Amino acid sequence: MEQLVQQIAAYKQEIAAFTPANAADLEQYRIKFLGTKGIVKALFGEMKQVPNDRKKEFGQILNEFKQLAEERYEAFAALKEAAGANHQEIDYTMPEAPHRLGTRHPISLVRNKIIRIFERLGFTIAEGPEIEDDWHNFTALNLPENHPARDMQDTFFVSKNPDWLLRTQTSSAQVRVMEQGKLPIRIISPGRVYRNETISARAHCFFHQVEGLYIDENVSFADLKQTLYHFVKEFFGENTGIRFRPSYFPFTEPSAEMDISCFICGGTGCSVCKQTGWVEILGCGMVHPKVLANCGIDPEKYTGFAFGMGIERITMLKYQIKDLRLFSENDTRFLEQFEGTV
């Protein structure tokens, strides 16, 4: 063992004196000391020749030697990398690398334009959590448990008993505002919602909505129509035709769907409007008295209207996009088309 200790001492001196001139010298050092057939591995193989009562002592010496050899190699490897990085030849006559400018997502562009239009009408923004409880997402909106209309909003549940889920509509944010009892209320609630849909060119498991709510004394359906008329004229243009069709929503009564004239075919009929000349863009109606009561608002004194639209649908109409999946694929070729759009 004494002979092995003397060899290790000599190797330590050699390591301490080692200064590589280039990368080849450093590689030779690695092979000699740290390689699979190197000195460190060979010395560990000599452990079987050491008496049992001195194996622990020799093992400590070997580990210290191995650590010294590795630290010396790593120190020079780091210096070589730094030197290589600092001494790269730079051609200052070359043009700079082009900077690819980003652009706002088309969903964001349309969302912001919708918000600006309604802000000019006095609406403020109200936001809520994307993980909601059953009360705010369904029950308070006149959708009690086992109500058949819940099937229209097939839901991603986070937990059951108590029920927590990914919200299916931004109406839950409106419920939270109504519960505060600060009247009158004039808000829009944009945000992301989730439904268990089969992903296709026309549907996705998540999408974005903007919903509006106005509650005050003596609010009528005429107020709703004039508000939506103004929105359509501002967003789609003065010559856009508008029509309302009776519909059903549990949280509004009466309820309606609103269509606009197809601006692609001019109302003559095409594949986008399914040859009807009209395109549905939103649902609306007067807030159901039971919803007001559920949120602590006196339905005998106050009335209100609500509306909701899918931002993806509006965006697809505005920019004539035929596949809903493009919005979430992060394909820069698609996104670059909207550079400079406001």
Side-chain angles (χ1 to χ4, degrees), residues 29-302:
Y29 169 88
R30 187 193 66 79
I31 294 171
K32 179 178 179 180
F33 285 96
L34 302 172
T36 55
K37 296 182 180 180
I39 292 172
V40 171
K41 190 163 186 178
L43 287 171
F44 272 94
E46 296 292 334
M47 178 69 79
K48 59 187 176 184
Q49 307 297 335
V50 178
N52 290 336
D53 60 339
R54 303 197 64 184
K55 283 186 184 295
K56 182 177 180 181
E57 176 188 352
F58 186 67
Q60 291 177 343
I61 295 173
L62 273 181
N63 286 329
E64 292 175 358
F65 173 66
K66 178 184 177 183
Q67 185 176 358
L68 174 67
E70 290 175 344
E71 289 176 350
R72 191 71 173 172
Y73 173 77
E74 291 171 0
F76 281 107
L79 289 174
K80 289 289 183 183
E81 291 175 4
N86 292 332
H87 291 86
Q88 290 180 352
E89 293 187 3
I90 300 175
D91 185 353
Y92 291 100
T93 65
M94 292 289 289
E96 65 176 345
H99 295 284
R100 297 184 64 183
L101 297 177
T103 180
R104 287 194 178 98
H105 195 281
I107 295 293
S108 298
L109 292 169
V110 171
R111 175 184 181 273
N112 293 341
K113 185 171 182 179
I114 293 172
I115 289 173
R116 287 197 300 269
I117 292 172
F118 283 105
E119 279 182 336
R120 291 197 294 270
L121 295 175
F123 287 78
T124 58
I125 296 174
E127 297 181 334
E130 293 185 8
I131 299 179
E132 266 294 5
D133 56 40
D134 182 276
W135 169 259
H136 290 94
N137 195 83
F138 288 126
T139 307
L141 293 164
N142 200 27
L143 279 161
E145 188 177 1
N146 299 321
H147 194 292
R150 286 199 182 198
D151 294 340
M152 300 166 59
Q153 301 183 26
D154 197 5
T155 311
F156 292 107
F157 278 92
V158 177
S159 69
K160 295 288 287 181
N161 300 320
D163 291 345
W164 287 93
L165 51 104
L166 299 181
R167 67 181 180 184
T168 61
Q169 52 195 356
T170 58
S171 304
S172 58
Q174 298 177 353
V175 173
R176 292 181 177 275
V177 173
M178 286 190 284
E179 286 177 332
Q180 296 174 7
K182 298 179 180 178
L183 297 166
I185 297 171
R186 188 180 296 185
I187 60 169
I188 54 172
S189 49
R192 181 180 296 181
V193 298
Y194 306 83
R195 297 185 188 179
N196 187 14
E197 301 277 358
T198 301
I199 297 174
S200 67
R202 306 292 295 178
H204 211 293
C205 61
F206 71 89
F207 56 97
H208 299 78
Q209 282 186 335
V210 172
E211 297 195 18
L213 176 69
Y214 177 36
I215 297 176
D216 202 348
E217 297 183 32
N218 303 316
V219 176
S220 68
F221 202 93
D223 298 315
L224 168 63
K225 293 178 69 174
Q226 290 303 317
T227 299
L228 296 180
Y229 281 150
H230 176 79
F231 164 70
V232 169
K233 299 294 184 181
E234 284 282 307
F235 193 94
F236 294 103
E238 286 292 333
N239 296 323
T240 306
I242 301 168
R243 75 175 184 182
F244 287 84
R245 292 179 290 107
S247 186
Y248 167 76
F249 302 109
F251 29 81
T252 54
E253 180 61 37
S255 304
E257 304 275 3
M258 191 176 82
D259 304 333
I260 62 171
S261 57
C262 181
F263 47 84
I264 295 175
C265 65
T268 60
C270 65
S271 60
V272 173
C273 63
K274 300 179 182 179
Q275 308 302 324
T276 65
W278 296 93
V279 180
E280 176 192 328
I281 64 167
L282 59 83
C284 59
M286 300 301 294
V287 179
H288 197 291
K290 191 168 183 179
V291 174
L292 295 175
N294 287 341
C295 297
I297 297 174
D298 183 1
E300 298 295 329
K301 182 178 180 181
Y302 293 97

